[in-house]
Coordinates of all heavy atoms in Angstrom, one line a residue:
M126 N 0.9 -1.2 0.0 CA 0.0 0.0 0.0 C 0.9 1.2 0.0 O 1.9 1.3 0.7 CB -0.9 0.0 1.2 CG -1.8 1.2 1.3 SD -2.9 1.2 2.8 CE -3.8 -0.3 2.5
L127 N 0.5 2.2 -0.8 CA 1.3 3.5 -0.9 C 0.5 4.5 -0.2 O -0.8 4.6 -0.3 CB 1.5 3.9 -2.3 CG 2.3 2.9 -3.2 CD1 2.3 3.5 -4.6 CD2 3.6 2.7 -2.7
V128 N 1.2 5.4 0.5 CA 0.5 6.6 1.1 C 1.3 7.8 0.8 O 2.5 7.9 0.9 CB 0.4 6.4 2.7 CG1 1.7 6.2 3.3 CG2 -0.3 7.6 3.3
S129 N 0.6 8.8 0.2 CA 1.3 10.0 -0.3 C 0.2 11.1 -0.7 O -0.9 10.7 -1.1 CB 2.2 9.7 -1.4 OG 2.8 10.8 -2.0
P130 N 0.6 12.3 -0.8 CA -0.2 13.3 -1.4 C 0.0 13.3 -2.9 O -0.8 13.9 -3.7 CB 0.2 14.7 -0.8 CG 1.5 14.4 -0.2 CD 1.7 13.0 0.1
F131 N 1.0 12.5 -3.4 CA 1.3 12.4 -4.9 C 1.3 13.8 -5.5 O 0.5 14.0 -6.4 CB 0.3 11.5 -5.5 CG 0.3 10.1 -5.0 CD1 -0.6 9.6 -4.0 CD2 1.3 9.2 -5.4 CE1 -0.6 8.4 -3.5 CE2 1.3 7.9 -4.9 CZ 0.4 7.5 -3.9
I132 N 2.2 14.6 -5.1 CA 2.3 16.0 -5.6 C 3.1 16.1 -6.9 O 2.7 16.7 -7.9 CB 2.8 16.9 -4.5 CG1 1.8 16.9 -3.3 CG2 3.0 18.3 -5.0 CD1 2.4 17.3 -2.0
S133 N 4.4 15.6 -6.8 CA 5.3 15.8 -7.9 C 5.0 14.9 -9.1 O 4.2 14.0 -9.0 CB 6.7 15.5 -7.5 OG 6.9 14.1 -7.3
K134 N 5.5 15.3 -10.2 CA 5.3 14.5 -11.5 C 5.8 13.1 -11.3 O 5.1 12.1 -11.7 CB 6.1 15.2 -12.6 CG 6.0 14.5 -13.9 CD 6.6 15.3 -15.1 CE 8.0 15.5 -14.9 NZ 8.7 16.1 -16.0
E135 N 6.9 12.9 -10.6 CA 7.4 11.6 -10.3 C 6.5 10.8 -9.4 O 6.3 9.6 -9.7 CB 8.8 11.7 -9.7 CG 9.9 12.2 -10.6 CD 9.9 13.8 -10.7 OE1 9.2 14.4 -9.9 OE2 10.6 14.3 -11.5
E136 N 6.0 11.4 -8.4 CA 5.0 10.7 -7.5 C 3.8 10.3 -8.2 O 3.2 9.2 -8.0 CB 4.7 11.6 -6.3 CG 5.8 11.9 -5.4 CD 5.5 13.0 -4.4 OE1 4.5 13.7 -4.5 OE2 6.4 13.1 -3.4
K137 N 3.3 11.2 -9.1 CA 2.1 10.9 -9.9 C 2.4 9.7 -10.8 O 1.5 8.8 -11.0 CB 1.6 12.1 -10.7 CG 1.1 13.1 -9.8 CD 0.7 14.4 -10.5 CE 0.2 15.5 -9.6 NZ 0.0 16.7 -10.1
A138 N 3.6 9.6 -11.4 CA 3.9 8.5 -12.2 C 3.9 7.2 -11.4 O 3.5 6.1 -11.9 CB 5.3 8.7 -12.9
I139 N 4.4 7.2 -10.2 CA 4.5 6.0 -9.3 C 3.0 5.6 -9.0 O 2.7 4.4 -9.0 CB 5.3 6.3 -8.0 CG1 6.7 6.4 -8.4 CG2 5.0 5.2 -7.0 CD1 7.6 6.9 -7.2
R140 N 2.2 6.6 -8.8 CA 0.8 6.3 -8.5 C 0.1 5.6 -9.7 O -0.6 4.5 -9.6 CB 0.0 7.5 -8.2 CG -1.5 7.2 -7.9 CD -2.3 8.4 -7.7 NE -3.8 8.0 -7.7 CZ -4.8 8.8 -7.5 NH1 -4.6 10.1 -7.4 NH2 -6.0 8.4 -7.6
T141 N 0.4 6.1 -10.9 CA -0.1 5.5 -12.1 C 0.3 4.0 -12.3 O -0.4 3.1 -12.6 CB 0.3 6.3 -13.3 OG1 -0.3 7.6 -13.2 CG2 -0.3 5.7 -14.6
E142 N 1.6 3.8 -12.0 CA 2.2 2.4 -12.1 C 1.6 1.5 -11.0 O 1.2 0.4 -11.3 CB 3.7 2.5 -11.9 CG 4.5 3.0 -13.1 CD 6.0 3.0 -12.8 OE1 6.5 2.0 -12.2 OE2 6.6 4.0 -13.2
A143 N 1.4 2.0 -9.8 CA 0.8 1.3 -8.8 C -0.7 0.9 -9.1 O -1.1 -0.2 -8.8 CB 0.9 2.0 -7.4
E144 N -1.4 1.8 -9.7 CA -2.8 1.6 -10.0 C -2.8 0.5 -11.1 O -3.7 -0.4 -11.1 CB -3.5 2.8 -10.5 CG -3.8 3.8 -9.4 CD -4.3 5.1 -9.9 OE1 -4.2 5.5 -11.0 OE2 -4.9 5.8 -9.0
A145 N -1.9 0.5 -12.0 CA -1.8 -0.5 -13.1 C -1.6 -1.9 -12.5 O -2.1 -2.9 -13.0 CB -0.7 -0.2 -14.1
L146 N -0.9 -2.0 -11.3 CA -0.7 -3.2 -10.6 C -1.8 -3.5 -9.6 O -1.7 -4.5 -8.8 CB 0.7 -3.2 -9.9 CG 1.9 -3.0 -10.9 CD1 3.1 -2.8 -10.1 CD2 2.0 -4.3 -11.7
D147 N -2.8 -2.7 -9.6 CA -4.0 -2.8 -8.7 C -3.6 -2.7 -7.2 O -4.2 -3.4 -6.3 CB -4.7 -4.1 -8.9 CG -6.2 -4.0 -8.6 OD1 -6.8 -2.9 -8.6 OD2 -6.8 -5.1 -8.2
A148 N -2.6 -1.9 -6.9 CA -2.2 -1.6 -5.6 C -3.2 -0.8 -4.8 O -4.0 -0.1 -5.4 CB -0.8 -0.9 -5.6
K149 N -3.1 -0.9 -3.5 CA -3.9 -0.1 -2.6 C -3.2 1.2 -2.3 O -2.0 1.2 -2.2 CB -4.2 -0.8 -1.3 CG -5.2 -2.0 -1.5 CD -5.5 -2.6 -0.1 CE -6.5 -3.7 -0.3 NZ -6.9 -4.3 0.9
I150 N -4.0 2.3 -2.3 CA -3.4 3.6 -2.2 C -4.1 4.5 -1.2 O -5.4 4.4 -1.1 CB -3.4 4.4 -3.5 CG1 -2.5 3.6 -4.5 CG2 -3.0 5.8 -3.4 CD1 -2.5 4.1 -5.9
I151 N -3.4 5.2 -0.3 CA -4.0 6.2 0.5 C -3.5 7.6 0.0 O -2.3 7.8 -0.1 CB -3.5 6.1 2.0 CG1 -4.0 4.7 2.6 CG2 -4.1 7.2 2.8 CD1 -3.5 4.5 4.0
L152 N -4.4 8.4 -0.5 CA -4.2 9.7 -1.1 C -4.5 10.8 -0.1 O -5.6 10.8 0.4 CB -5.0 9.9 -2.3 CG -5.0 11.2 -3.0 CD1 -3.6 11.7 -3.4 CD2 -6.0 11.3 -4.1
L153 N -3.5 11.6 0.3 CA -3.8 12.7 1.2 C -3.9 14.0 0.3 O -3.2 14.2 -0.7 CB -2.6 12.9 2.1 CG -2.2 11.7 2.9 CD1 -0.9 12.0 3.6 CD2 -3.3 11.5 3.9
T154 N -4.9 14.8 0.6 CA -5.2 16.0 -0.2 C -5.3 17.2 0.7 O -5.6 17.1 1.9 CB -6.5 15.8 -1.0 OG1 -6.7 17.0 -1.8 CG2 -7.7 15.5 -0.2
N155 N -5.0 18.3 0.1 CA -5.0 19.6 0.9 C -6.4 20.3 0.7 O -6.7 21.3 1.4 CB -3.9 20.6 0.5 CG -4.1 21.0 -0.9 OD1 -4.2 20.2 -1.8 ND2 -4.0 22.3 -1.2
E156 N -7.3 19.7 -0.1 CA -8.6 20.3 -0.3 C -9.7 19.6 0.5 O -9.7 18.3 0.4 CB -8.9 20.2 -1.8 CG -7.8 20.8 -2.7 CD -8.3 21.8 -3.7 OE1 -9.5 21.9 -3.9 OE2 -7.4 22.4 -4.3
A157 N -10.5 20.3 1.2 CA -11.6 19.8 1.9 C -12.6 19.2 0.9 O -12.8 19.8 -0.1 CB -12.2 20.8 2.8
F158 N -13.3 18.2 1.3 CA -14.4 17.7 0.5 C -15.6 18.6 0.6 O -16.0 19.0 1.7 CB -14.9 16.3 1.0 CG -13.9 15.2 0.8 CD1 -13.8 14.1 1.7 CD2 -13.0 15.1 -0.3 CE1 -13.0 13.1 1.5 CE2 -12.1 14.1 -0.4 CZ -12.1 13.1 0.5
P159 N -16.1 19.0 -0.6 CA -17.3 19.8 -0.5 C -18.5 18.9 -0.1 O -18.4 17.7 -0.1 CB -17.5 20.3 -2.0 CG -16.7 19.4 -2.8 CD -15.6 18.8 -1.9
E160 N -19.6 19.6 0.2 CA -20.8 18.8 0.6 C -21.2 17.8 -0.6 O -21.1 18.2 -1.7 CB -22.0 19.8 0.8 CG -23.2 19.1 1.4 CD -24.3 20.1 1.8 OE1 -24.0 21.3 2.0 OE2 -25.4 19.7 1.7
R161 N -21.5 16.6 -0.2 CA -21.9 15.6 -1.2 C -20.8 15.3 -2.2 O -21.1 15.0 -3.4 CB -23.2 15.9 -1.9 CG -24.4 16.1 -1.0 CD -25.6 16.4 -1.7 NE -26.7 16.5 -0.7 CZ -27.8 17.2 -1.0 NH1 -28.0 17.7 -2.1 NH2 -28.7 17.3 0.0
Y162 N -19.6 15.3 -1.7 CA -18.4 15.0 -2.6 C -18.5 13.6 -3.2 O -18.8 12.6 -2.4 CB -17.1 15.2 -1.8 CG -15.9 14.8 -2.6 CD1 -15.4 15.6 -3.6 CD2 -15.3 13.6 -2.3 CE1 -14.3 15.2 -4.3 CE2 -14.1 13.2 -3.0 CZ -13.6 14.0 -4.0 OH -12.5 13.6 -4.7
K163 N -18.1 13.4 -4.4 CA -18.0 12.1 -5.0 C -16.8 12.2 -5.9 O -16.7 13.1 -6.8 CB -19.2 11.8 -5.9 CG -19.2 10.5 -6.6 CD -20.5 10.3 -7.3 CE -20.2 9.9 -8.7 NZ -21.4 9.7 -9.5
P164 N -15.8 11.3 -5.7 CA -14.6 11.4 -6.5 C -14.9 11.2 -8.0 O -15.9 10.7 -8.4 CB -13.7 10.2 -6.0 CG -14.3 9.8 -4.8 CD -15.7 10.2 -4.8
A165 N -14.0 11.7 -8.9 CA -14.1 11.5 -10.3 C -14.1 10.0 -10.6 O -13.7 9.2 -9.8 CB -12.9 12.2 -11.0
A166 N -14.5 9.7 -11.8 CA -14.7 8.3 -12.2 C -13.6 7.4 -11.8 O -13.7 6.3 -11.2 CB -15.0 8.2 -13.7
R167 N -12.4 7.8 -12.2 CA -11.2 6.9 -12.0 C -11.0 6.6 -10.5 O -10.9 5.5 -10.1 CB -9.9 7.7 -12.5 CG -8.6 7.1 -12.0 CD -7.5 8.0 -12.5 NE -6.3 7.6 -11.9 CZ -5.2 8.4 -11.8 NH1 -5.3 9.6 -12.3 NH2 -4.1 8.1 -11.2
D168 N -11.1 7.7 -9.6 CA -11.0 7.5 -8.2 C -12.2 6.9 -7.6 O -12.1 6.1 -6.6 CB -10.7 8.8 -7.5 CG -9.3 9.3 -7.8 OD1 -8.4 8.5 -8.3 OD2 -9.0 10.5 -7.5
F169 N -13.4 7.2 -8.1 CA -14.6 6.6 -7.6 C -14.6 5.1 -7.7 O -14.9 4.4 -6.7 CB -15.8 7.2 -8.3 CG -17.1 6.6 -7.9 CD1 -17.7 7.1 -6.7 CD2 -17.7 5.5 -8.5 CE1 -18.9 6.6 -6.3 CE2 -18.9 5.0 -8.1 CZ -19.5 5.6 -6.9
H170 N -14.2 4.6 -8.8 CA -14.2 3.1 -9.0 C -13.1 2.5 -8.1 O -13.4 1.4 -7.5 CB -14.0 2.7 -10.5 CG -15.1 3.2 -11.3 ND1 -16.4 2.6 -11.2 CD2 -15.2 4.1 -12.3 CE1 -17.2 3.2 -12.1 NE2 -16.5 4.1 -12.8
R171 N -12.0 3.1 -7.9 CA -11.0 2.6 -7.1 C -11.4 2.6 -5.6 O -11.2 1.7 -4.8 CB -9.6 3.3 -7.3 CG -9.1 3.0 -8.7 CD -7.6 3.5 -8.8 NE -6.7 2.9 -7.8 CZ -6.3 1.6 -7.9 NH1 -6.7 0.8 -8.8 NH2 -5.5 1.1 -6.9
C172 N -12.1 3.7 -5.2 CA -12.6 3.8 -3.8 C -13.7 2.7 -3.6 O -13.6 2.0 -2.5 CB -13.3 5.1 -3.6 SG -12.1 6.5 -3.4
S173 N -14.6 2.5 -4.5 CA -15.7 1.5 -4.3 C -15.1 0.1 -4.3 O -15.8 -0.8 -3.7 CB -16.8 1.7 -5.3 OG -16.3 1.5 -6.6
A174 N -14.0 -0.1 -4.9 CA -13.4 -1.4 -4.9 C -12.4 -1.6 -3.7 O -11.8 -2.7 -3.6 CB -12.6 -1.6 -6.2
G175 N -12.3 -0.6 -2.9 CA -11.5 -0.8 -1.7 C -10.0 -0.6 -2.0 O -9.1 -1.0 -1.3
R176 N -9.7 0.0 -3.2 CA -8.3 0.2 -3.6 C -7.7 1.6 -3.3 O -6.5 1.8 -3.5 CB -8.1 -0.1 -5.1 CG -8.7 -1.4 -5.6 CD -8.3 -2.7 -4.8 NE -6.9 -3.0 -5.0 CZ -6.3 -4.0 -4.3 NH1 -6.9 -4.6 -3.4 NH2 -5.0 -4.3 -4.6
L177 N -8.6 2.5 -3.0 CA -8.2 3.9 -2.7 C -8.9 4.5 -1.6 O -10.2 4.4 -1.5 CB -8.5 4.7 -4.0 CG -8.2 6.2 -3.9 CD1 -6.7 6.5 -3.7 CD2 -8.7 7.0 -5.1
L178 N -8.2 5.1 -0.7 CA -8.7 5.9 0.4 C -8.2 7.3 0.3 O -7.0 7.5 0.2 CB -8.3 5.3 1.8 CG -8.6 6.1 3.0 CD1 -10.1 6.2 3.2 CD2 -7.9 5.6 4.3
I179 N -9.2 8.3 0.2 CA -8.8 9.7 0.1 C -9.0 10.3 1.5 O -10.1 10.2 2.0 CB -9.6 10.4 -1.0 CG1 -9.5 9.7 -2.3 CG2 -9.1 11.8 -1.1 CD1 -10.4 10.2 -3.4
I180 N -8.0 11.0 2.0 CA -8.1 11.7 3.3 C -7.9 13.2 3.0 O -7.0 13.6 2.4 CB -7.0 11.2 4.3 CG1 -7.2 9.7 4.5 CG2 -7.1 12.0 5.5 CD1 -6.1 9.1 5.4
S181 N -8.9 13.9 3.5 CA -8.9 15.4 3.3 C -9.0 16.1 4.6 O -9.6 15.5 5.6 CB -9.9 15.8 2.3 OG -11.2 16.0 2.9
P182 N -8.6 17.3 4.7 CA -8.8 18.1 6.0 C -10.2 18.6 6.0 O -11.0 18.6 5.0 CB -7.8 19.3 5.8 CG -7.7 19.4 4.3 CD -7.8 18.1 3.7
K183 N -10.7 19.0 7.2 CA -12.0 19.6 7.4 C -12.1 20.9 6.6 O -13.2 21.2 6.0 CB -12.3 19.9 8.8 CG -12.6 18.7 9.6 CD -12.9 19.2 11.1 CE -14.1 18.5 11.6 NZ -14.4 18.9 13.0
E184 N -11.1 21.7 6.6 CA -11.0 22.9 5.8 C -9.8 22.9 4.9 O -8.8 22.4 5.2 CB -10.9 24.1 6.7 CG -12.1 24.3 7.6 CD -12.0 25.6 8.5 OE1 -11.2 26.4 8.2 OE2 -12.8 25.6 9.5
S185 N -10.0 23.4 3.7 CA -8.9 23.4 2.7 C -7.6 24.1 3.2 O -7.8 25.1 3.9 CB -9.3 24.0 1.4 OG -10.3 23.2 0.7
L186 N -6.5 23.6 2.9 CA -5.2 24.2 3.2 C -4.6 24.8 2.0 O -4.8 24.3 0.9 CB -4.2 23.1 3.7 CG -4.7 22.2 4.9 CD1 -3.8 21.1 5.2 CD2 -4.8 23.1 6.2
P187 N -4.0 26.0 2.1 CA -3.4 26.6 1.0 C -2.3 25.8 0.3 O -1.5 25.2 1.0 CB -2.8 27.9 1.5 CG -2.6 27.6 3.0 CD -3.6 26.6 3.4
P188 N -2.3 25.7 -1.0 CA -1.3 25.0 -1.7 C 0.1 25.7 -1.4 O 0.1 26.9 -1.3 CB -1.6 25.0 -3.2 CG -2.6 26.1 -3.3 CD -3.2 26.3 -2.0
G189 N 1.1 24.9 -1.3 CA 2.4 25.5 -1.1 C 3.3 24.5 -0.4 O 2.9 23.5 0.2
R190 N 4.6 24.9 -0.3 CA 5.6 24.0 0.3 C 5.2 23.6 1.7 O 5.4 22.4 2.1 CB 6.9 24.7 0.2 CG 8.1 23.8 0.8 CD 9.4 24.5 0.5 NE 10.5 23.8 1.3 CZ 11.0 22.6 1.0 NH1 10.5 21.9 0.0 NH2 12.0 22.1 1.7
D191 N 4.8 24.5 2.6 CA 4.5 24.2 4.0 C 3.4 23.2 4.1 O 3.5 22.2 4.8 CB 4.2 25.4 4.8 CG 5.4 26.3 5.0 OD1 6.5 25.8 4.9 OD2 5.2 27.5 5.3
T192 N 2.4 23.4 3.3 CA 1.2 22.4 3.3 C 1.7 21.1 2.8 O 1.3 20.0 3.5 CB 0.1 23.0 2.4 OG1 -0.4 24.1 3.0 CG2 -1.0 21.9 2.3
F193 N 2.5 21.0 1.8 CA 2.9 19.7 1.2 C 3.8 19.0 2.1 O 3.8 17.8 2.2 CB 3.4 19.9 -0.2 CG 2.3 20.5 -1.1 CD1 2.7 21.4 -2.1 CD2 1.0 20.1 -1.1 CE1 1.7 22.0 -2.9 CE2 0.0 20.6 -1.9 CZ 0.4 21.5 -2.8
L194 N 4.7 19.7 2.8 CA 5.5 19.1 3.8 C 4.7 18.5 5.0 O 5.0 17.4 5.5 CB 6.6 20.1 4.4 CG 7.7 20.5 3.4 CD1 8.5 21.6 4.0 CD2 8.5 19.3 3.0
K195 N 3.6 19.2 5.4 CA 2.7 18.7 6.4 C 2.1 17.4 5.9 O 1.9 16.5 6.7 CB 1.7 19.7 6.8 CG 2.2 20.9 7.6 CD 1.1 21.9 7.9 CE 1.7 23.1 8.6 NZ 0.7 24.2 8.7
L196 N 1.6 17.4 4.7 CA 1.0 16.2 4.2 C 1.9 15.0 4.1 O 1.6 13.9 4.5 CB 0.4 16.5 2.8 CG -0.8 17.4 2.7 CD1 -1.2 17.7 1.3 CD2 -2.0 16.9 3.5
N197 N 3.2 15.3 3.8 CA 4.2 14.2 3.8 C 4.5 13.7 5.2 O 4.7 12.5 5.4 CB 5.5 14.7 3.1 CG 5.4 14.7 1.6 OD1 4.7 13.9 1.0 ND2 6.2 15.6 1.0
A198 N 4.4 14.6 6.2 CA 4.6 14.2 7.6 C 3.5 13.4 8.0 O 3.7 12.4 8.8 CB 4.8 15.5 8.4
I199 N 2.3 13.7 7.6 CA 1.1 12.9 8.0 C 1.2 11.5 7.3 O 0.9 10.5 8.0 CB -0.2 13.6 7.5 CG1 -0.4 14.8 8.3 CG2 -1.4 12.6 7.6 CD1 -1.5 15.7 7.8
A200 N 1.7 11.5 6.1 CA 1.9 10.2 5.4 C 2.9 9.3 6.2 O 2.7 8.1 6.4 CB 2.4 10.4 4.0
A201 N 4.0 9.9 6.7 CA 5.0 9.2 7.5 C 4.4 8.7 8.7 O 4.6 7.5 9.1 CB 6.2 10.1 7.8
K202 N 3.5 9.5 9.4 CA 2.9 9.0 10.6 C 1.9 7.9 10.4 O 1.9 6.9 11.2 CB 2.1 10.2 11.3 CG 2.9 11.2 12.0 CD 3.5 10.6 13.2 CE 4.3 11.7 13.9 NZ 5.1 11.1 15.0
L203 N 1.2 7.9 9.3 CA 0.3 6.8 8.9 C 1.1 5.5 8.7 O 0.6 4.4 9.0 CB -0.5 7.1 7.6 CG -1.6 8.1 7.8 CD1 -2.2 8.5 6.4 CD2 -2.7 7.6 8.7
A204 N 2.3 5.6 8.1 CA 3.1 4.5 7.8 C 3.9 3.9 9.0 O 4.3 2.8 8.9 CB 4.0 4.8 6.6
E205 N 4.1 4.8 10.0 CA 4.9 4.4 11.1 C 4.3 3.1 11.8 O 3.2 3.1 12.2 CB 4.8 5.5 12.2 CG 6.2 6.0 12.6 CD 6.0 7.2 13.5 OE1 5.4 7.1 14.6 OE2 6.6 8.2 13.1
G206 N 5.1 2.1 11.8 CA 4.7 0.8 12.4 C 3.6 0.1 11.7 O 3.2 -1.0 12.2
A207 N 3.2 0.5 10.5 CA 2.2 -0.2 9.7 C 2.9 -1.1 8.7 O 3.5 -0.5 7.7 CB 1.2 0.8 9.1
A208 N 2.9 -2.4 8.8 CA 3.5 -3.3 7.9 C 2.8 -3.1 6.5 O 1.6 -3.0 6.4 CB 3.4 -4.7 8.4
G209 N 3.7 -3.1 5.5 CA 3.2 -3.1 4.1 C 2.9 -1.7 3.5 O 2.5 -1.6 2.4
I210 N 3.0 -0.6 4.3 CA 2.7 0.7 3.8 C 4.1 1.3 3.4 O 5.0 1.3 4.2 CB 2.0 1.6 4.8 CG1 0.6 1.0 5.1 CG2 1.9 3.0 4.3 CD1 -0.2 1.8 6.1
K211 N 4.1 1.9 2.2 CA 5.3 2.6 1.7 C 5.0 4.1 1.5 O 4.0 4.4 1.0 CB 5.8 2.0 0.4 CG 6.0 0.5 0.4 CD 7.5 0.2 0.2 CE 7.7 -1.2 0.1 NZ 8.1 -1.9 1.3
I212 N 5.9 4.9 2.0 CA 5.7 6.4 1.8 C 6.3 6.8 0.5 O 7.4 6.5 0.2 CB 6.4 7.1 3.0 CG1 5.9 6.7 4.3 CG2 6.2 8.6 2.8 CD1 6.7 7.1 5.4
I213 N 5.6 7.6 -0.3 CA 6.1 8.1 -1.5 C 6.1 9.7 -1.3 O 5.1 10.3 -1.2 CB 5.2 7.8 -2.7 CG1 5.0 6.3 -2.9 CG2 5.7 8.4 -4.0 CD1 6.3 5.6 -3.1
S214 N 7.3 10.2 -1.3 CA 7.5 11.7 -1.1 C 8.8 12.1 -1.7 O 9.7 11.4 -2.0 CB 7.4 12.1 0.3 OG 8.5 11.5 1.1

């Protein structure tokens, strides 16, 4: 299982490869879910199949280095002591 905000071009490429292998992914986002949020088709199908978990904050965080460093730190905390989880950052 991969856990990451998948921000950089390289991270996004790793996510694409992992999805092709039907890997499980935890995606961290800086954008809060709007009311009645439903992921786009690609993510919706992966979520409904139990292959993707999207974690978002209650309120959107501004895009930028500080926010993305915080998201990477959260990814590291999620992976701490969890067998089978790999951090992509």
